[in-house]
Amino acid sequence: MMCDFLDRAVPGVRALTPYQPGKPESELRRELGLSEIVKLASNENPLGASQAAVAAARQALDEVGRYPDGNGFELKAALSEYLGVPANRLTLGNGSNDVLELVVRAFVSPGDEVVYSKHSFAVYALASQAVGATARVAPALREDATQPYGHDLVSMASLVGEATKVVFVANPNNPTGTWLGSAELLGFLDRLPSNVIAVVDEAYAEYVVVSDYDSLIDQVDRFPNLVVTRTFSKAFGLAGLRVGYAVSNPQVAELMNRVRQPFNVNSAALAAAKAALGDTDHIRESRELNTRQMSRLQAELSDLGLGILPSAANFLCVDTHQDAFRVFQALLSGGVIVRPIANYGLDRHLRITIGTPRENDRLIHVLRQVLG
Ligand SMILES: *Cc1c(COP(=O)(O)O)cnc(C)c1O
């Protein structure tokens, strides 16, 4: 078959490697015929969504013959109250992934530069390469730093130049779990040229309990070039419905609105996200579970001789001191799915989502067999 058109695809797209999602549970179940699979590979909330959110999504299905509210009025109103920011600062997306792409589509042309850190979230590279941007990837902090492999804001700042349109900062970062203190991050924004968009990706903000961390959402009036992104996929447990948002200066929001698909967030997602915001107990329980189970796993994993990066999120980045892919595969055979992150430049490390107590028991049990 002649596919003459293939090499006519846009150069950025031809050079892309697609995002590799965590292995779905159903796939492993089929492969191994195992009944009990534990998936700790995609940083989902192990408690799932709030019951109120699920009920709201179900109810929204009654109206599924209608288009959703393209402006997301009710969700924006609820977010506005929840966050304490006016609704005209908000942009909704089909997951925060969508919002990240809106920023890129609104600001980045072929040949422009974007800056992000090594070992940072894969979507920054994907979204900017697809539009033909040149990525300037900053070396990460060293292994012996307080935040090993975390963002080095000094090296990131040094890569910002005339051609830089967007800088991406993940705080906390995925896949390392490392974070930036708010004083350091504000200092970086102070020095960043005001014509460069700073995206601060706070996908894990609801989980953070470390004392030197602050969300930057209340800084968007001070920094008109700041775009803070959040998601309902992690602590809110709505990964399957795809909802995220950005908080930015209204003029930036207006630009993103121009490139947004008119109905980018579906009606079940809008309803569920709004209800999820109202269930503060669920978020508190999710955060408390995460905090408790994180300290427990940190202790048990280091007893097994593994190295653990500091984390402010709902996962741990674990140094296996060997080819992590082998450990990943051995865990798979035991019915535990974690995430190898060699594609992030960390081939000795695994990223492990913090699960329920039972899931974590199982992880430790299988890991002990694998390493023993
Ligand atoms: C998971 C994640 C996201 C995106 O999640 P969505 O499901 O698209 O909202 C964004 N940034 C980081 C750092 C993440 O880990």
PDB file of all heavy atoms in Angstrom, residues 19 42-43 94-98 100 121 123-124 170-175 201-204 229-234 238-239 242-245 315 351, ligand 1:
ATOM      1  N   TYR A  19       2.867   9.429  24.087  1.00  0.00           N
ATOM      2  CA  TYR A  19       2.818   9.276  25.548  1.00  0.00           C
ATOM      3  C   TYR A  19       2.566   7.819  25.885  1.00  0.00           C
ATOM      4  O   TYR A  19       1.743   7.148  25.270  1.00  0.00           O
ATOM      5  CB  TYR A  19       1.677  10.145  26.098  1.00  0.00           C
ATOM      6  CG  TYR A  19       1.565  10.110  27.595  1.00  0.00           C
ATOM      7  CD1 TYR A  19       2.374  10.913  28.382  1.00  0.00           C
ATOM      8  CD2 TYR A  19       0.655   9.265  28.230  1.00  0.00           C
ATOM      9  CE1 TYR A  19       2.275  10.888  29.770  1.00  0.00           C
ATOM     10  CE2 TYR A  19       0.552   9.230  29.615  1.00  0.00           C
ATOM     11  CZ  TYR A  19       1.367  10.041  30.378  1.00  0.00           C
ATOM     12  OH  TYR A  19       1.267  10.006  31.741  1.00  0.00           O
ATOM     13  N   SER A  42      -0.558   5.114  37.808  1.00  0.00           N
ATOM     14  CA  SER A  42      -0.986   6.346  37.138  1.00  0.00           C
ATOM     15  C   SER A  42      -1.396   7.459  38.083  1.00  0.00           C
ATOM     16  O   SER A  42      -2.052   8.420  37.667  1.00  0.00           O
ATOM     17  CB  SER A  42      -2.127   6.047  36.157  1.00  0.00           C
ATOM     18  OG  SER A  42      -1.680   5.104  35.193  1.00  0.00           O
ATOM     19  N   ASN A  43      -1.011   7.343  39.345  1.00  0.00           N
ATOM     20  CA  ASN A  43      -1.239   8.412  40.334  1.00  0.00           C
ATOM     21  C   ASN A  43      -2.700   8.798  40.499  1.00  0.00           C
ATOM     22  O   ASN A  43      -3.031   9.936  40.817  1.00  0.00           O
ATOM     23  CB  ASN A  43      -0.387   9.647  40.007  1.00  0.00           C
ATOM     24  CG  ASN A  43       1.093   9.317  39.989  1.00  0.00           C
ATOM     25  OD1 ASN A  43       1.489   8.281  40.523  1.00  0.00           O
ATOM     26  ND2 ASN A  43       1.895  10.165  39.384  1.00  0.00           N
ATOM     27  N   ASN A  94     -10.289  19.514  28.942  1.00  0.00           N
ATOM     28  CA  ASN A  94     -10.538  18.075  28.930  1.00  0.00           C
ATOM     29  C   ASN A  94      -9.321  17.416  29.581  1.00  0.00           C
ATOM     30  O   ASN A  94      -8.422  16.894  28.922  1.00  0.00           O
ATOM     31  CB  ASN A  94     -10.726  17.629  27.474  1.00  0.00           C
ATOM     32  CG  ASN A  94     -11.121  16.184  27.344  1.00  0.00           C
ATOM     33  OD1 ASN A  94     -11.840  15.653  28.186  1.00  0.00           O
ATOM     34  ND2 ASN A  94     -10.644  15.540  26.310  1.00  0.00           N
ATOM     35  N   GLY A  95      -9.279  17.507  30.924  1.00  0.00           N
ATOM     36  CA  GLY A  95      -8.058  17.203  31.658  1.00  0.00           C
ATOM     37  C   GLY A  95      -7.148  18.429  31.619  1.00  0.00           C
ATOM     38  O   GLY A  95      -7.316  19.303  30.752  1.00  0.00           O
ATOM     39  N   SER A  96      -6.199  18.501  32.550  1.00  0.00           N
ATOM     40  CA  SER A  96      -5.289  19.648  32.495  1.00  0.00           C
ATOM     41  C   SER A  96      -4.349  19.511  31.304  1.00  0.00           C
ATOM     42  O   SER A  96      -3.779  20.486  30.817  1.00  0.00           O
ATOM     43  CB  SER A  96      -4.517  19.823  33.803  1.00  0.00           C
ATOM     44  OG  SER A  96      -3.780  18.679  34.107  1.00  0.00           O
ATOM     45  N   ASN A  97      -4.213  18.298  30.790  1.00  0.00           N
ATOM     46  CA  ASN A  97      -3.460  18.067  29.561  1.00  0.00           C
ATOM     47  C   ASN A  97      -3.965  18.982  28.428  1.00  0.00           C
ATOM     48  O   ASN A  97      -3.194  19.611  27.711  1.00  0.00           O
ATOM     49  CB  ASN A  97      -3.640  16.581  29.180  1.00  0.00           C
ATOM     50  CG  ASN A  97      -2.635  16.103  28.166  1.00  0.00           C
ATOM     51  OD1 ASN A  97      -2.173  14.974  28.234  1.00  0.00           O
ATOM     52  ND2 ASN A  97      -2.260  16.942  27.201  1.00  0.00           N
ATOM     53  N   ASP A  98      -5.278  19.077  28.335  1.00  0.00           N
ATOM     54  CA  ASP A  98      -5.901  19.941  27.331  1.00  0.00           C
ATOM     55  C   ASP A  98      -5.486  21.397  27.570  1.00  0.00           C
ATOM     56  O   ASP A  98      -5.116  22.118  26.630  1.00  0.00           O
ATOM     57  CB  ASP A  98      -7.430  19.777  27.453  1.00  0.00           C
ATOM     58  CG  ASP A  98      -8.223  20.466  26.353  1.00  0.00           C
ATOM     59  OD1 ASP A  98      -7.685  20.674  25.254  1.00  0.00           O
ATOM     60  OD2 ASP A  98      -9.408  20.782  26.609  1.00  0.00           O
ATOM     61  N   LEU A 100      -2.849  22.518  29.080  1.00  0.00           N
ATOM     62  CA  LEU A 100      -1.428  22.702  28.730  1.00  0.00           C
ATOM     63  C   LEU A 100      -1.291  22.903  27.220  1.00  0.00           C
ATOM     64  O   LEU A 100      -0.532  23.756  26.756  1.00  0.00           O
ATOM     65  CB  LEU A 100      -0.601  21.488  29.178  1.00  0.00           C
ATOM     66  CG  LEU A 100      -0.499  21.265  30.697  1.00  0.00           C
ATOM     67  CD1 LEU A 100       0.097  19.892  31.015  1.00  0.00           C
ATOM     68  CD2 LEU A 100       0.325  22.368  31.362  1.00  0.00           C
ATOM     69  N   PHE A 121       7.306  16.381  33.603  1.00  0.00           N
ATOM     70  CA  PHE A 121       6.126  15.741  33.013  1.00  0.00           C
ATOM     71  C   PHE A 121       6.185  15.714  31.477  1.00  0.00           C
ATOM     72  O   PHE A 121       6.418  16.723  30.814  1.00  0.00           O
ATOM     73  CB  PHE A 121       4.884  16.487  33.492  1.00  0.00           C
ATOM     74  CG  PHE A 121       3.590  15.827  33.121  1.00  0.00           C
ATOM     75  CD1 PHE A 121       3.385  14.472  33.306  1.00  0.00           C
ATOM     76  CD2 PHE A 121       2.554  16.576  32.581  1.00  0.00           C
ATOM     77  CE1 PHE A 121       2.188  13.873  32.965  1.00  0.00           C
ATOM     78  CE2 PHE A 121       1.342  15.990  32.248  1.00  0.00           C
ATOM     79  CZ  PHE A 121       1.160  14.640  32.435  1.00  0.00           C
ATOM     80  N   VAL A 123       4.175  15.617  29.015  1.00  0.00           N
ATOM     81  CA  VAL A 123       3.278  16.365  28.130  1.00  0.00           C
ATOM     82  C   VAL A 123       3.879  17.706  27.677  1.00  0.00           C
ATOM     83  O   VAL A 123       3.561  18.199  26.596  1.00  0.00           O
ATOM     84  CB  VAL A 123       1.892  16.531  28.798  1.00  0.00           C
ATOM     85  CG1 VAL A 123       1.034  17.556  28.086  1.00  0.00           C
ATOM     86  CG2 VAL A 123       1.187  15.179  28.841  1.00  0.00           C
ATOM     87  N   TYR A 124       4.800  18.283  28.481  1.00  0.00           N
ATOM     88  CA  TYR A 124       5.414  19.551  28.052  1.00  0.00           C
ATOM     89  C   TYR A 124       6.181  19.335  26.746  1.00  0.00           C
ATOM     90  O   TYR A 124       6.115  20.151  25.827  1.00  0.00           O
ATOM     91  CB  TYR A 124       6.358  20.125  29.126  1.00  0.00           C
ATOM     92  CG  TYR A 124       5.796  20.113  30.522  1.00  0.00           C
ATOM     93  CD1 TYR A 124       6.610  19.896  31.634  1.00  0.00           C
ATOM     94  CD2 TYR A 124       4.428  20.303  30.726  1.00  0.00           C
ATOM     95  CE1 TYR A 124       6.081  19.878  32.911  1.00  0.00           C
ATOM     96  CE2 TYR A 124       3.894  20.273  32.001  1.00  0.00           C
ATOM     97  CZ  TYR A 124       4.726  20.046  33.093  1.00  0.00           C
ATOM     98  OH  TYR A 124       4.202  20.008  34.348  1.00  0.00           O
ATOM     99  N   ALA A 170       6.642  22.061  36.964  1.00  0.00           N
ATOM    100  CA  ALA A 170       5.688  21.170  37.625  1.00  0.00           C
ATOM    101  C   ALA A 170       5.975  21.210  39.118  1.00  0.00           C
ATOM    102  O   ALA A 170       7.092  20.966  39.546  1.00  0.00           O
ATOM    103  CB  ALA A 170       5.839  19.744  37.110  1.00  0.00           C
ATOM    104  N   ASN A 171       4.957  21.523  39.903  1.00  0.00           N
ATOM    105  CA  ASN A 171       5.172  21.650  41.340  1.00  0.00           C
ATOM    106  C   ASN A 171       3.977  21.127  42.119  1.00  0.00           C
ATOM    107  O   ASN A 171       2.957  21.797  42.185  1.00  0.00           O
ATOM    108  CB  ASN A 171       5.433  23.124  41.698  1.00  0.00           C
ATOM    109  CG  ASN A 171       6.058  23.259  43.059  1.00  0.00           C
ATOM    110  OD1 ASN A 171       6.783  22.371  43.507  1.00  0.00           O
ATOM    111  ND2 ASN A 171       5.787  24.367  43.743  1.00  0.00           N
ATOM    112  N   PRO A 172       4.111  19.929  42.757  1.00  0.00           N
ATOM    113  CA  PRO A 172       5.237  19.003  42.697  1.00  0.00           C
ATOM    114  C   PRO A 172       5.412  18.430  41.293  1.00  0.00           C
ATOM    115  O   PRO A 172       4.487  18.448  40.503  1.00  0.00           O
ATOM    116  CB  PRO A 172       4.846  17.883  43.663  1.00  0.00           C
ATOM    117  CG  PRO A 172       3.710  18.403  44.474  1.00  0.00           C
ATOM    118  CD  PRO A 172       3.045  19.452  43.672  1.00  0.00           C
ATOM    119  N   ASN A 173       6.611  17.903  41.061  1.00  0.00           N
ATOM    120  CA  ASN A 173       6.902  17.341  39.737  1.00  0.00           C
ATOM    121  C   ASN A 173       6.538  15.859  39.660  1.00  0.00           C
ATOM    122  O   ASN A 173       6.641  15.127  40.628  1.00  0.00           O
ATOM    123  CB  ASN A 173       8.396  17.516  39.425  1.00  0.00           C
ATOM    124  CG  ASN A 173       8.754  17.005  38.046  1.00  0.00           C
ATOM    125  OD1 ASN A 173       8.035  17.269  37.082  1.00  0.00           O
ATOM    126  ND2 ASN A 173       9.838  16.255  37.932  1.00  0.00           N
ATOM    127  N   ASN A 174       6.115  15.455  38.495  1.00  0.00           N
ATOM    128  CA  ASN A 174       5.906  14.057  38.135  1.00  0.00           C
ATOM    129  C   ASN A 174       6.964  13.767  37.065  1.00  0.00           C
ATOM    130  O   ASN A 174       7.035  14.535  36.104  1.00  0.00           O
ATOM    131  CB  ASN A 174       4.482  13.914  37.583  1.00  0.00           C
ATOM    132  CG  ASN A 174       4.203  12.574  36.964  1.00  0.00           C
ATOM    133  OD1 ASN A 174       4.956  11.625  37.136  1.00  0.00           O
ATOM    134  ND2 ASN A 174       3.111  12.498  36.221  1.00  0.00           N
ATOM    135  N   PRO A 175       7.765  12.739  37.150  1.00  0.00           N
ATOM    136  CA  PRO A 175       7.712  11.553  38.007  1.00  0.00           C
ATOM    137  C   PRO A 175       8.578  11.589  39.269  1.00  0.00           C
ATOM    138  O   PRO A 175       8.668  10.566  39.949  1.00  0.00           O
ATOM    139  CB  PRO A 175       8.267  10.470  37.072  1.00  0.00           C
ATOM    140  CG  PRO A 175       9.351  11.176  36.331  1.00  0.00           C
ATOM    141  CD  PRO A 175       8.824  12.590  36.132  1.00  0.00           C
ATOM    142  N   ASP A 201       2.387  23.932  36.953  1.00  0.00           N
ATOM    143  CA  ASP A 201       1.478  22.795  36.909  1.00  0.00           C
ATOM    144  C   ASP A 201       1.334  22.233  38.325  1.00  0.00           C
ATOM    145  O   ASP A 201       2.255  21.636  38.866  1.00  0.00           O
ATOM    146  CB  ASP A 201       2.078  21.763  35.938  1.00  0.00           C
ATOM    147  CG  ASP A 201       1.252  20.502  35.789  1.00  0.00           C
ATOM    148  OD1 ASP A 201       0.367  20.242  36.627  1.00  0.00           O
ATOM    149  OD2 ASP A 201       1.524  19.743  34.826  1.00  0.00           O
ATOM    150  N   GLU A 202       0.155  22.456  38.896  1.00  0.00           N
ATOM    151  CA  GLU A 202      -0.088  22.036  40.287  1.00  0.00           C
ATOM    152  C   GLU A 202      -1.031  20.827  40.335  1.00  0.00           C
ATOM    153  O   GLU A 202      -1.979  20.795  41.126  1.00  0.00           O
ATOM    154  CB  GLU A 202      -0.679  23.206  41.085  1.00  0.00           C
ATOM    155  CG  GLU A 202       0.259  24.402  41.191  1.00  0.00           C
ATOM    156  CD  GLU A 202      -0.278  25.523  42.103  1.00  0.00           C
ATOM    157  OE1 GLU A 202      -1.459  25.463  42.508  1.00  0.00           O
ATOM    158  OE2 GLU A 202       0.506  26.451  42.398  1.00  0.00           O
ATOM    159  N   ALA A 203      -0.770  19.837  39.504  1.00  0.00           N
ATOM    160  CA  ALA A 203      -1.662  18.673  39.417  1.00  0.00           C
ATOM    161  C   ALA A 203      -1.850  17.959  40.762  1.00  0.00           C
ATOM    162  O   ALA A 203      -2.880  17.328  40.995  1.00  0.00           O
ATOM    163  CB  ALA A 203      -1.134  17.682  38.375  1.00  0.00           C
ATOM    164  N   TYR A 204      -0.856  18.057  41.642  1.00  0.00           N
ATOM    165  CA  TYR A 204      -0.913  17.318  42.910  1.00  0.00           C
ATOM    166  C   TYR A 204      -1.153  18.218  44.113  1.00  0.00           C
ATOM    167  O   TYR A 204      -1.001  17.782  45.261  1.00  0.00           O
ATOM    168  CB  TYR A 204       0.383  16.508  43.095  1.00  0.00           C
ATOM    169  CG  TYR A 204       0.570  15.516  41.990  1.00  0.00           C
ATOM    170  CD1 TYR A 204       1.336  15.820  40.873  1.00  0.00           C
ATOM    171  CD2 TYR A 204      -0.084  14.288  42.024  1.00  0.00           C
ATOM    172  CE1 TYR A 204       1.457  14.934  39.814  1.00  0.00           C
ATOM    173  CE2 TYR A 204       0.029  13.387  40.982  1.00  0.00           C
ATOM    174  CZ  TYR A 204       0.802  13.718  39.883  1.00  0.00           C
ATOM    175  OH  TYR A 204       0.907  12.830  38.855  1.00  0.00           O
ATOM    176  N   THR A 229      -1.988  25.557  36.453  1.00  0.00           N
ATOM    177  CA  THR A 229      -2.915  24.504  36.022  1.00  0.00           C
ATOM    178  C   THR A 229      -3.179  23.517  37.159  1.00  0.00           C
ATOM    179  O   THR A 229      -2.306  23.246  37.992  1.00  0.00           O
ATOM    180  CB  THR A 229      -2.393  23.741  34.789  1.00  0.00           C
ATOM    181  OG1 THR A 229      -1.167  23.076  35.127  1.00  0.00           O
ATOM    182  CG2 THR A 229      -2.145  24.670  33.614  1.00  0.00           C
ATOM    183  N   ARG A 230      -4.387  23.013  37.184  1.00  0.00           N
ATOM    184  CA  ARG A 230      -4.846  22.035  38.179  1.00  0.00           C
ATOM    185  C   ARG A 230      -5.673  20.966  37.470  1.00  0.00           C
ATOM    186  O   ARG A 230      -6.120  21.175  36.350  1.00  0.00           O
ATOM    187  CB  ARG A 230      -5.751  22.717  39.221  1.00  0.00           C
ATOM    188  CG  ARG A 230      -5.054  23.705  40.147  1.00  0.00           C
ATOM    189  CD  ARG A 230      -4.503  22.980  41.344  1.00  0.00           C
ATOM    190  NE  ARG A 230      -3.967  23.872  42.343  1.00  0.00           N
ATOM    191  CZ  ARG A 230      -4.610  24.233  43.473  1.00  0.00           C
ATOM    192  NH1 ARG A 230      -5.846  23.809  43.712  1.00  0.00           N
ATOM    193  NH2 ARG A 230      -4.021  25.018  44.338  1.00  0.00           N
ATOM    194  N   THR A 231      -5.921  19.875  38.176  1.00  0.00           N
ATOM    195  CA  THR A 231      -6.692  18.800  37.559  1.00  0.00           C
ATOM    196  C   THR A 231      -7.638  18.138  38.551  1.00  0.00           C
ATOM    197  O   THR A 231      -7.401  18.177  39.767  1.00  0.00           O
ATOM    198  CB  THR A 231      -5.748  17.724  36.977  1.00  0.00           C
ATOM    199  OG1 THR A 231      -6.541  16.699  36.369  1.00  0.00           O
ATOM    200  CG2 THR A 231      -4.864  17.087  38.045  1.00  0.00           C
ATOM    201  N   PHE A 232      -8.696  17.536  38.039  1.00  0.00           N
ATOM    202  CA  PHE A 232      -9.579  16.702  38.851  1.00  0.00           C
ATOM    203  C   PHE A 232      -9.176  15.223  38.751  1.00  0.00           C
ATOM    204  O   PHE A 232      -9.851  14.361  39.275  1.00  0.00           O
ATOM    205  CB  PHE A 232     -11.036  16.878  38.403  1.00  0.00           C
ATOM    206  CG  PHE A 232     -11.647  18.171  38.879  1.00  0.00           C
ATOM    207  CD1 PHE A 232     -11.554  19.322  38.110  1.00  0.00           C
ATOM    208  CD2 PHE A 232     -12.278  18.249  40.112  1.00  0.00           C
ATOM    209  CE1 PHE A 232     -12.102  20.521  38.549  1.00  0.00           C
ATOM    210  CE2 PHE A 232     -12.825  19.443  40.568  1.00  0.00           C
ATOM    211  CZ  PHE A 232     -12.738  20.589  39.791  1.00  0.00           C
ATOM    212  N   SER A 233      -8.092  14.938  38.034  1.00  0.00           N
ATOM    213  CA  SER A 233      -7.711  13.538  37.801  1.00  0.00           C
ATOM    214  C   SER A 233      -6.991  12.891  38.973  1.00  0.00           C
ATOM    215  O   SER A 233      -6.933  11.667  39.066  1.00  0.00           O
ATOM    216  CB  SER A 233      -6.767  13.437  36.598  1.00  0.00           C
ATOM    217  OG  SER A 233      -7.375  13.925  35.434  1.00  0.00           O
ATOM    218  N   LYS A 234      -6.386  13.679  39.824  1.00  0.00           N
ATOM    219  CA  LYS A 234      -5.546  13.079  40.865  1.00  0.00           C
ATOM    220  C   LYS A 234      -6.326  13.026  42.187  1.00  0.00           C
ATOM    221  O   LYS A 234      -7.120  12.128  42.360  1.00  0.00           O
ATOM    222  CB  LYS A 234      -4.224  13.844  40.955  1.00  0.00           C
ATOM    223  CG  LYS A 234      -3.490  13.948  39.594  1.00  0.00           C
ATOM    224  CD  LYS A 234      -2.858  12.639  39.153  1.00  0.00           C
ATOM    225  CE  LYS A 234      -2.596  12.496  37.664  1.00  0.00           C
ATOM    226  NZ  LYS A 234      -1.658  13.426  37.059  1.00  0.00           N
ATOM    227  N   LEU A 238     -11.158  11.819  39.504  1.00  0.00           N
ATOM    228  CA  LEU A 238     -12.006  11.825  38.301  1.00  0.00           C
ATOM    229  C   LEU A 238     -11.206  11.652  37.008  1.00  0.00           C
ATOM    230  O   LEU A 238     -11.593  12.185  35.955  1.00  0.00           O
ATOM    231  CB  LEU A 238     -12.810  13.139  38.250  1.00  0.00           C
ATOM    232  CG  LEU A 238     -13.878  13.324  39.340  1.00  0.00           C
ATOM    233  CD1 LEU A 238     -14.464  14.735  39.284  1.00  0.00           C
ATOM    234  CD2 LEU A 238     -14.978  12.284  39.168  1.00  0.00           C
ATOM    235  N   ALA A 239     -10.117  10.893  37.069  1.00  0.00           N
ATOM    236  CA  ALA A 239      -9.235  10.753  35.902  1.00  0.00           C
ATOM    237  C   ALA A 239      -9.983  10.304  34.648  1.00  0.00           C
ATOM    238  O   ALA A 239      -9.701  10.759  33.542  1.00  0.00           O
ATOM    239  CB  ALA A 239      -8.095   9.784  36.216  1.00  0.00           C
ATOM    240  N   ARG A 242     -11.911  13.260  32.721  1.00  0.00           N
ATOM    241  CA  ARG A 242     -11.103  14.286  32.070  1.00  0.00           C
ATOM    242  C   ARG A 242     -11.586  15.713  32.332  1.00  0.00           C
ATOM    243  O   ARG A 242     -12.345  16.292  31.561  1.00  0.00           O
ATOM    244  CB  ARG A 242     -11.057  14.050  30.517  1.00  0.00           C
ATOM    245  CG  ARG A 242     -10.867  12.624  30.039  1.00  0.00           C
ATOM    246  CD  ARG A 242      -9.575  12.020  30.515  1.00  0.00           C
ATOM    247  NE  ARG A 242      -8.417  12.794  30.138  1.00  0.00           N
ATOM    248  CZ  ARG A 242      -7.483  13.227  31.006  1.00  0.00           C
ATOM    249  NH1 ARG A 242      -7.557  12.937  32.290  1.00  0.00           N
ATOM    250  NH2 ARG A 242      -6.476  13.925  30.584  1.00  0.00           N
ATOM    251  N   VAL A 243     -11.181  16.272  33.445  1.00  0.00           N
ATOM    252  CA  VAL A 243     -11.418  17.702  33.695  1.00  0.00           C
ATOM    253  C   VAL A 243     -10.194  18.313  34.358  1.00  0.00           C
ATOM    254  O   VAL A 243      -9.646  17.752  35.313  1.00  0.00           O
ATOM    255  CB  VAL A 243     -12.566  18.024  34.697  1.00  0.00           C
ATOM    256  CG1 VAL A 243     -13.147  19.408  34.406  1.00  0.00           C
ATOM    257  CG2 VAL A 243     -13.613  16.974  34.758  1.00  0.00           C
ATOM    258  N   GLY A 244      -9.785  19.445  33.859  1.00  0.00           N
ATOM    259  CA  GLY A 244      -8.720  20.223  34.479  1.00  0.00           C
ATOM    260  C   GLY A 244      -9.012  21.686  34.248  1.00  0.00           C
ATOM    261  O   GLY A 244      -9.987  22.033  33.568  1.00  0.00           O
ATOM    262  N   TYR A 245      -8.182  22.544  34.807  1.00  0.00           N
ATOM    263  CA  TYR A 245      -8.421  23.973  34.594  1.00  0.00           C
ATOM    264  C   TYR A 245      -7.134  24.759  34.759  1.00  0.00           C
ATOM    265  O   TYR A 245      -6.147  24.264  35.314  1.00  0.00           O
ATOM    266  CB  TYR A 245      -9.499  24.506  35.540  1.00  0.00           C
ATOM    267  CG  TYR A 245      -9.215  24.333  37.025  1.00  0.00           C
ATOM    268  CD1 TYR A 245      -8.615  25.347  37.767  1.00  0.00           C
ATOM    269  CD2 TYR A 245      -9.563  23.155  37.677  1.00  0.00           C
ATOM    270  CE1 TYR A 245      -8.375  25.199  39.127  1.00  0.00           C
ATOM    271  CE2 TYR A 245      -9.330  23.000  39.034  1.00  0.00           C
ATOM    272  CZ  TYR A 245      -8.736  24.024  39.754  1.00  0.00           C
ATOM    273  OH  TYR A 245      -8.498  23.859  41.097  1.00  0.00           O
ATOM    274  N   PHE A 315       2.704   9.810  45.117  1.00  0.00           N
ATOM    275  CA  PHE A 315       3.503   8.700  44.594  1.00  0.00           C
ATOM    276  C   PHE A 315       4.928   8.855  45.109  1.00  0.00           C
ATOM    277  O   PHE A 315       5.306   9.919  45.607  1.00  0.00           O
ATOM    278  CB  PHE A 315       3.491   8.713  43.051  1.00  0.00           C
ATOM    279  CG  PHE A 315       4.008  10.004  42.467  1.00  0.00           C
ATOM    280  CD1 PHE A 315       5.364  10.192  42.223  1.00  0.00           C
ATOM    281  CD2 PHE A 315       3.134  11.047  42.171  1.00  0.00           C
ATOM    282  CE1 PHE A 315       5.835  11.389  41.701  1.00  0.00           C
ATOM    283  CE2 PHE A 315       3.602  12.249  41.647  1.00  0.00           C
ATOM    284  CZ  PHE A 315       4.959  12.418  41.411  1.00  0.00           C
ATOM    285  N   ARG A 351       8.241   4.628  39.498  1.00  0.00           N
ATOM    286  CA  ARG A 351       7.299   5.540  40.133  1.00  0.00           C
ATOM    287  C   ARG A 351       6.133   4.716  40.658  1.00  0.00           C
ATOM    288  O   ARG A 351       5.495   3.971  39.897  1.00  0.00           O
ATOM    289  CB  ARG A 351       6.796   6.583  39.121  1.00  0.00           C
ATOM    290  CG  ARG A 351       6.067   7.746  39.781  1.00  0.00           C
ATOM    291  CD  ARG A 351       5.342   8.580  38.758  1.00  0.00           C
ATOM    292  NE  ARG A 351       4.230   7.823  38.205  1.00  0.00           N
ATOM    293  CZ  ARG A 351       3.568   8.158  37.109  1.00  0.00           C
ATOM    294  NH1 ARG A 351       3.909   9.234  36.425  1.00  0.00           N
ATOM    295  NH2 ARG A 351       2.566   7.432  36.671  1.00  0.00           N
TER     296      ARG A 351
HETATM  297  C1  LIG B   1      -1.357  13.699  35.795  1.00  0.00           C
HETATM  298  C2  LIG B   1      -0.715  14.999  35.504  1.00  0.00           C
HETATM  299  C3  LIG B   1      -1.316  15.975  34.707  1.00  0.00           C
HETATM  300  C4  LIG B   1      -2.501  15.824  33.829  1.00  0.00           C
HETATM  301  O1  LIG B   1      -3.527  15.152  34.150  1.00  0.00           O
HETATM  302  P1  LIG B   1      -4.911  15.317  33.404  1.00  0.00           P
HETATM  303  O2  LIG B   1      -5.545  14.003  33.677  1.00  0.00           O
HETATM  304  O3  LIG B   1      -4.702  15.601  31.965  1.00  0.00           O
HETATM  305  O4  LIG B   1      -5.590  16.465  34.091  1.00  0.00           O
HETATM  306  C5  LIG B   1      -0.686  17.175  34.512  1.00  0.00           C
HETATM  307  N1  LIG B   1       0.491  17.420  35.087  1.00  0.00           N
HETATM  308  C6  LIG B   1       1.111  16.531  35.851  1.00  0.00           C
HETATM  309  C7  LIG B   1       2.414  16.888  36.453  1.00  0.00           C
HETATM  310  C8  LIG B   1       0.539  15.282  36.080  1.00  0.00           C
HETATM  311  O5  LIG B   1       1.190  14.376  36.799  1.00  0.00           O
END
